[in-house]
């Protein structure tokens, strides 16, 4: 019997959940529902070209990691995107500070912070081979 088959949700505390949800809706396009959360449907955007890899990574980091800096929070959330360059340009035009962006064999990454100091990693997966 396989006990865990995936991630069912991400839940965290916020100082002002409604304000934070509005920020994510405005800047990252989250479709915030009446109950205050967002449902990401598997295979949503399956018609997008080029096809991209689709998976979820679970990875504990060392307690002393600097990878989440400048956030002081003990977590970072990575969101899949289809066109990172276009999104980063839009975020910059909206006054969002884009910390950096870099490409690797794992895809294309960009980092920002939300208004409550949570580190956000935006990830454009590599093209599916």
């Amino acid at each position: 019997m396989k006990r865990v088959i995936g991630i069912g949700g991400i839940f965290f505390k916020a100082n002002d959940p409604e304000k934070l949800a509005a920020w994510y809706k405005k800047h990252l396009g989250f479709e915030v529902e009446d109950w205050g959360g967002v449902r990401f449907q598997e295979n949503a955007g399956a018609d997008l070209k080029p096809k991209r890899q689709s998976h979820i990574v679970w990875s504990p980091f060392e307690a002393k990691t600097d990878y989440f800096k400048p956030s002081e929070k003990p977590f970072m959330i990575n969101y899949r995107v289809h066109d990172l360059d276009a999104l980063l340009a839009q975020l910059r035009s909206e006054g969002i500070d884009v910390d950096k962006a870099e490409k690797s064999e794992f895809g294309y990454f960009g980092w920002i912070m939300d208004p409550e100091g949570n580190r956000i990693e935006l990830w454009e997966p590599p093209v599916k081979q």
Side-chain angles (χ1 to χ4, degrees):
M1 176 183 84
K2 190 164 185 172
R3 295 176 186 248
V4 174
I5 60 169
I7 294 174
I10 299 169
F11 308 93
F12 58 97
K13 296 177 182 179
N15 294 321
D16 189 337
E18 289 180 7
K19 184 177 178 182
L20 191 60
W23 185 91
Y24 276 80
K25 181 177 184 174
K26 176 181 179 182
H27 297 293
L28 297 182
F30 281 28
E31 295 181 20
V32 179
E33 297 189 28
D34 291 341
W35 52 273
V38 177
R39 289 182 291 136
F40 295 100
Q41 298 293 326
E42 194 164 335
N43 292 321
D47 58 336
L48 293 173
K49 303 284 188 234
K51 292 288 184 201
R52 304 252 177 222
Q53 295 178 13
S54 178
H55 56 270
I56 297 171
V57 173
W58 180 89
S59 179
F61 280 69
E62 290 287 334
K64 295 180 182 180
T65 187
D66 289 335
Y67 193 73
F68 304 167
K69 293 287 182 188
S71 177
E72 296 297 323
K73 305 288 178 81
F75 65 90
M76 177 183 69
I77 300 177
N78 169 295
Y79 296 104
R80 269 192 316 257
V81 304
H82 193 69
D83 184 343
L84 185 60
D85 282 326
L87 177 57
L88 295 180
Q90 181 65 39
L91 291 169
R92 287 182 179 110
S93 76
E94 295 168 354
I96 304 299
D97 181 38
V98 176
D99 181 31
K100 63 180 179 174
E102 62 185 47
K103 293 182 180 181
S104 78
E105 72 260 31
F106 303 111
Y108 188 18
F109 298 87
W111 292 270
I112 63 173
M113 299 280 283
D114 77 14
E116 291 202 3
N118 299 307
R119 182 79 159 165
I120 299 169
E121 185 174 71
L122 302 168
W123 172 52
E124 181 181 321
V127 175
K128 197 172 186 176
Q129 301 296 328

